[in-house]
Amino acid sequence: MTLAKTRSVSLVGVDGFVVDVEAAITSGVPGLHLVGLPDTALSEARDRVRAAIFNSGEDWPNRHVTVSLFPASMPKKGSTFDISIAIALLAAAEAVPARACAGLVLIGELGLDGRLRPIQGVLPAVLAAANQGCHTVVVPRANAAEAELVPGMKVVSASTLRGLLCLLRDEPPPIEEDEEDGPSPLTDKLALRQQDIPPDLDLNDVRGQAEARRALEISAAGGHHLFFAGPPGCGKTMLAERLPTLMPPLEPDIALEVTAIHSVAGTLRPGQPLITQPPFYAPHHTASRASMVGGGSGRVLQPGAVSLAHRGILFLDEAPEFIAGTLDALRQPLEEGEVRISRIEGMARFPARFTLVLAANPCPCAAAKQIDCSCAPGVRRKYASRLSGPLLDRIDLKLELAPATRAELRYDLEFAESSKVVAERVQLARERTLRRLAGTPWRSNSEIPGPELRRRFTPPADAMQGADEALQRGALSARGLDRVLRVAWTIADLAGHDEPGPDDVGGALMLWSAGRP
């Protein structure tokens, strides 16, 4: 009996674990027997691997071959094990030196012609391998740039199985035709799901709405959720689309985390393996609950909109038009910053720490002027009630916008600040926040848990007088008080205060209670 071993990675959500791929050639009925709880796509690797080996000019062992995936008790999914199975089998047949492939982690799918096909989820797979002490990974050439984002990992890439075998045998590489190993048409289609903000957008494009622009600045500085209510044409969508222009680039570790999610979803764009800017995601109001929070079959679990907007903005325009269950499904990610999807095969985890921006018209007819509205008061109340109280209780900043006046439309240009100017203040405020939160796991005021907020970051008693009175009257809930305190700290950071004063807390309280439908 001959035996050889390689390694690969199995992904569950954005988390992964290293799988030992062992191949043994023994006497018995010729054929390939795959064990270790493979799913259907993995079981079909028998045919892909056999055809790829033949078309790469190698001999198939005419004996009984057993391929074991360890740990055997963990379900394995997908076609990412193809390369590791093929190399382990050829090493067991002594066509490849066993020592040359023993320490390798091989990730990728095989075409029937022996091509190494690009796959989704390479970055989180390589991160998982690095976290478990692996040092060298083999990936398809089209995935090489993505894999090289992981610090300290040696990346070996090839475009064909034949070329990979030459590398392992220390032979001259074969003459291969250049091939565009870019993402598949399906991947290109999925990549359109993330909305890019045009680079020419600027906050000074918005006329009037000084209070709303101030709310955007506070949201960008502290990561606070935002709700705009107002008639059509008052600038709700324009304001939301300009929020990313106020936010600084992602820090390196956060950029890797965000990119890993989009790698699993297949939304990374060719030539841009690393996402460095906060993502902006604006699903249509017909989006289902699964597309919003993530899900799918037990075999393939995909991140939803809340995860694709991780460390960025999730914008829900015409929020009352969304299905009520879809909106209420946001409540748990807003509190916990992640989504856990449970299936009978196990549980997948997707990070989901995003800034939520809601926009809503005051009524279904969406009249530009209230005098033109044809909706009865009961209809308006019913429409507004589509946004539930528990959801709105989790929104930090609420504003009711009015249409800009004629004077503002014509003369506001000289007073409106650009995104660059506001972004500089946002950056300074974030730096003050990070210095205060040094030594803690939190990066922004919006992330501080309620108990820690009240224990360690309570403003002076005189500053809390207005909030205490609102809490006493029942106009402010306990959760709402936490929201007000977080926003007060952000306002203080923007103003350069060491701690929130009465004006900071009062401003936060006003922004929390205003604009409630």
Side-chain angles (χ1 to χ4, degrees):
M1 179 183 74
T2 55
L3 179 68
K5 184 178 79 170
T6 59
R7 289 179 172 182
S8 191
V9 177
S10 180
L11 282 180
V12 182
V14 293
D15 301 316
F17 59 92
V18 174
V19 175
D20 290 334
V21 181
E22 297 177 319
I25 300 178
T26 61
S27 57
V29 179
L32 176 61
H33 186 54
L34 193 61
V35 298
L37 293 183
D39 71 342
T40 302
L42 182 50
S43 297
E44 292 171 349
R46 300 183 183 92
D47 300 318
R48 292 192 299 271
V49 169
R50 182 182 177 90
I53 288 178
F54 274 128
N55 289 319
S56 298
E58 300 295 325
D59 295 327
W60 181 268
N62 193 26
R63 300 176 66 186
H64 183 80
V65 180
T66 301
V67 175
S68 174
L69 307 176
F70 177 85
S73 60
M74 300 288 289
K76 322 297 188 308
K77 304 174 183 178
S79 58
T80 60
F81 295 87
D82 288 5
I83 302 176
S84 58
I85 292 174
I87 297 299
L89 190 152
L90 291 173
E94 299 181 350
V96 177
R99 289 181 298 177
C101 60
L104 299 180
V105 177
L106 301 104
I107 305 169
E109 179 179 331
L110 283 173
L112 299 183
D113 59 353
R115 298 279 181 179
L116 272 58
R117 301 295 185 187
I119 60 169
Q120 300 176 9
V122 165
L123 177 57
V126 177
L127 283 170
N131 291 335
Q132 297 184 44
C134 302
H135 303 289
T136 306
V137 64
V138 177
V139 298
R141 184 154 295 161
N143 292 127
E146 186 180 343
E148 289 170 352
L149 296 174
V150 180
M153 179 64 74
K154 179 182 178 182
V155 177
V156 178
S157 65
S159 58
T160 64
L161 179 60
R162 180 64 183 168
L164 177 58
L165 292 173
C166 290
L167 286 173
L168 296 177
R169 293 167 177 164
D170 200 19
E171 297 176 354
I175 299 176
E176 300 172 350
E177 295 182 1
D178 292 334
E179 182 190 28
E180 293 292 334
D181 279 333
S184 66
L186 174 61
T187 302
D188 288 336
K189 183 178 180 181
L190 288 172
L192 298 176
R193 294 169 59 191
Q194 181 189 353
Q195 287 81 6
D196 278 333
I197 297 299
D200 57 343
L201 292 185
D202 199 287
L203 189 58
N204 60 15
D205 297 333
V206 182
R207 296 291 179 265
Q209 308 300 357
E211 187 178 4
R213 287 187 288 191
R214 172 64 172 169
L216 280 186
E217 181 178 346
I218 296 171
S219 176
H224 302 292
H225 309 305
L226 185 59
F227 173 51
F228 288 136
C234 66
K236 302 186 297 294
T237 302
M238 286 186 67
L239 287 161
E241 289 178 343
R242 283 152 181 79
L243 180 55
T245 66
L246 310 182
M247 303 175 73
L250 300 174
E251 299 175 13
D253 57 334
I254 297 298
L256 279 178
E257 188 178 37
V258 171
T259 305
I261 298 171
H262 287 261
S263 175
V264 171
T267 57
L268 291 180
R269 286 163 176 75
Q272 295 180 341
L274 183 65
I275 297 175
T276 58
Q277 297 297 322
F280 180 89
Y281 201 77
H284 192 260
H285 64 260
T286 57
S288 65
R289 185 182 305 187
S291 69
M292 187 67 71
V293 300
S297 66
R299 185 177 65 83
V300 180
L301 295 177
Q302 289 290 321
V306 297
S307 296
L308 295 175
H310 179 61
R311 297 296 181 179
I313 298 99
L314 177 65
F315 176 46
L316 303 186
D317 202 2
E318 307 294 345
E321 298 294 336
F322 282 78
I323 301 171
T326 300
L327 290 174
D328 286 336
L330 299 174
R331 287 152 57 177
Q332 184 257 346
L334 287 173
E335 289 292 330
E336 300 184 7
E338 68 175 13
V339 173
R340 294 182 296 275
I341 303 172
S342 297
R343 294 291 184 270
I344 192 171
E345 297 89 354
M347 184 182 71
R349 182 194 65 87
F350 293 107
R353 192 169 294 282
F354 56 93
T355 299
L356 177 64
V357 180
L358 302 176
N361 293 321
C363 63
C365 76
K369 297 181 179 179
Q370 187 171 356
I371 194 173
D372 298 327
C373 178
S374 60
C375 299
V379 174
R380 295 170 64 92
R381 286 194 300 270
K382 184 177 179 180
Y383 188 74
S385 67
R386 294 184 182 181
L387 301 177
S388 67
L391 176 62
L392 291 177
D393 207 30
R394 290 167 167 82
I395 305 300
D396 306 335
L397 311 170
K398 308 177 185 71
L399 282 91
E400 187 170 354
L401 307 185
T405 65
R406 182 172 59 183
E408 289 173 332
L409 290 174
R410 300 180 67 177
Y411 304 114
D412 189 57
L413 178 62
E414 57 184 290
F415 301 106
E417 292 182 309
S418 67
S419 292
K420 181 179 179 181
V421 172
V422 178
E424 291 175 355
R425 289 202 300 268
V426 168
Q427 181 64 39
L428 292 175
R430 287 198 172 202
E431 291 173 358
R432 290 182 63 88
T433 304
L434 287 174
R435 287 195 296 269
R436 185 174 64 254
L437 300 179
T440 72
W442 315 304
R443 297 171 180 261
S444 65
N445 292 319
S446 63
E447 298 178 21
I448 305 174
E452 291 295 324
L453 188 69
R454 293 186 294 271
R455 184 182 302 115
R456 299 172 56 183
F457 301 103
T458 302
D462 61 330
M464 290 294 296
Q465 184 175 354
D468 291 338
E469 291 175 356
L471 189 64
Q472 183 74 20
R473 295 194 311 267
L476 186 66
S477 66
R479 182 188 290 118
L481 178 61
D482 291 343
R483 301 283 175 186
V484 168
L485 290 179
R486 295 185 182 106
V487 174
W489 275 105
T490 300
I491 295 175
D493 288 334
L494 285 168
H497 299 161
D498 293 332
E499 59 184 12
D503 291 341
D504 301 325
V505 177
L509 181 61
M510 182 184 66
L511 287 169
W512 183 87
S513 58
R516 294 178 68 90

